[in-house]
Structures are given as C-alpha cells and as structure tokens.
Amino acid sequence: MNRPWLLWLPLTVVAFIGGLAIYGLVVPKDDMVHSAMVGRKLPEFALPPATVGIEGLSNRDLADGKPRLLNIFASWCIPCKAEAPYLEALKKSGAEIDAIAIRDKPEDVAAFLAEFGNPFRRIGSDSEMAVQLKLGSSGVPETYVVGGDGTILYQHIGDIRAEHVPMLLEKLREAQ
C-alpha cells in the first residue's frame, strides 16, 4: 500500500505545535475573568440574617442609590480570613460593604466576625448557595462592585489583597 501523504504527517504535527507555541508567546495573557453578570442587575433575593445582631440582605438593599461592595464569604474559607484586613481597609477608606455568607451557621459567622473584624453593613445567609449561583459566583471569596441602581459593575474573583484595595476604591469612585 502506497501512502506518500503519511510522510508529511509528522511535519504537519510539529508545525501545528510550533504554531501554537508562537501564538502563546505573541498574544498577551488575559488574567481577567469576564463575568456574564457584569452590566446586569442583581438577581432578586432576600436572605435572612447570617448571625444575630446584623440585618439580612436583599437585592433592594443594594439598589439604594449608593455604590457598594458585595462580598461573598464563608467562615470556613481560609482565603476569606486572609482578605479580612483588606476589607477593613476598604471600610476605613469609605467603602460600604455588604456580604453574603455561604453555607454557614450563625455561630460560626459570629466567631469569624469576632476574630477577624466586621467590615459589613449587612450579611445575608445563603445556606443553599442559591443566590451565589444566581450571581455567577464560582466560589468564595468573591467581591462585586454594585452600582447605586443595583447593577453589577465589576466582579473580583478570589481574595482581596493589598494591591487590590486602590483598584476597588477607584471602581467605587467611577460608579458614583
């Protein structure tokens, strides 16, 4: 059986792999995760308080005319503990922050706030992760910049670090 085209197959495979490598070197890396929810209104929700003494949270609370941050966290989440000082820094810089606690017990949320501080105005309990899924959140922690009309303007995936604080404050200023 005579198949001369088989001689070109290895060269074609090498050329394809080389092309992919060159493409990876030439095209700039995009670290931004593009959320389908950015530019959309918050979904409707009304969550009960996550712990005693702090009000629950609804989408209407986030559409009161003032831009704010919405943090998705959990007391059992280690990166959530790591970002706590930066949420406090955001609060001290004037940011209003509401939160949704994911799959948490009231006593665990209270212990978390007692240990790491409470930068939150309101905290809703999303024990079934229903609101988290509606928001397109893939995990904890995540933080949204929400415009005064309840529109999601930005989604920050992962824990907030020191280098993210100025950027989030700028996004809040832009939302004014």
Side-chain angles (χ1 to χ4, degrees):
M1 195 179 276
N2 189 9
R3 295 185 180 163
W5 60 270
L6 280 176
L7 294 172
W8 292 98
L9 185 60
L11 181 61
T12 303
V13 170
V14 169
F16 179 74
I17 292 171
L20 284 176
I22 290 171
Y23 177 80
L25 292 173
V26 172
V27 175
K29 183 179 173 190
D30 184 8
D31 288 335
M32 177 78 173
V33 176
H34 302 279
S35 169
M37 291 301 293
V38 171
R40 294 185 178 183
K41 295 276 188 187
L42 288 165
E44 289 201 24
F45 63 89
L47 296 171
T51 191
V52 176
I54 300 174
E55 293 183 56
L57 184 67
S58 76
N59 61 304
R60 290 188 192 124
D61 298 321
L62 296 159
D64 64 354
K66 186 171 185 174
R68 64 185 73 247
L69 299 176
L70 173 61
N71 182 253
I72 311 295
F73 82 104
S75 66
W76 43 264
C77 160
I78 292 173
C80 298
K81 296 172 183 176
E83 77 172 358
Y86 306 113
L87 286 170
E88 195 63 41
L90 284 162
K91 179 181 176 186
K92 286 181 181 172
S93 296
E96 288 195 22
I97 309 169
D98 291 313
I100 296 176
I102 304 298
R103 297 178 60 200
D104 246 323
K105 297 176 185 170
E107 59 271 18
D108 293 338
V109 172
F112 180 90
L113 298 176
E115 184 172 353
F116 299 102
N118 180 11
F120 307 120
R121 184 181 67 125
R122 296 171 173 258
I123 306 174
S125 174
D126 189 10
S127 58
E128 302 296 324
M129 300 172 24
V131 175
Q132 182 186 25
L133 293 175
K134 285 182 184 178
L135 287 169
S137 169
S138 59
V140 287
E142 287 191 17
T143 303
Y144 296 85
V145 175
V146 179
D149 64 349
T151 301
I152 297 171
L153 302 174
Y154 176 75
Q155 181 179 5
H156 179 85
I157 297 175
D159 56 313
I160 295 170
R161 297 180 184 168
E163 64 266 25
H164 301 134
V165 170
M167 178 269 299
L168 288 169
L169 289 172
E170 181 59 29
K171 295 231 179 252
L172 283 171
R173 275 191 283 279
E174 291 171 4
Q176 297 279 335

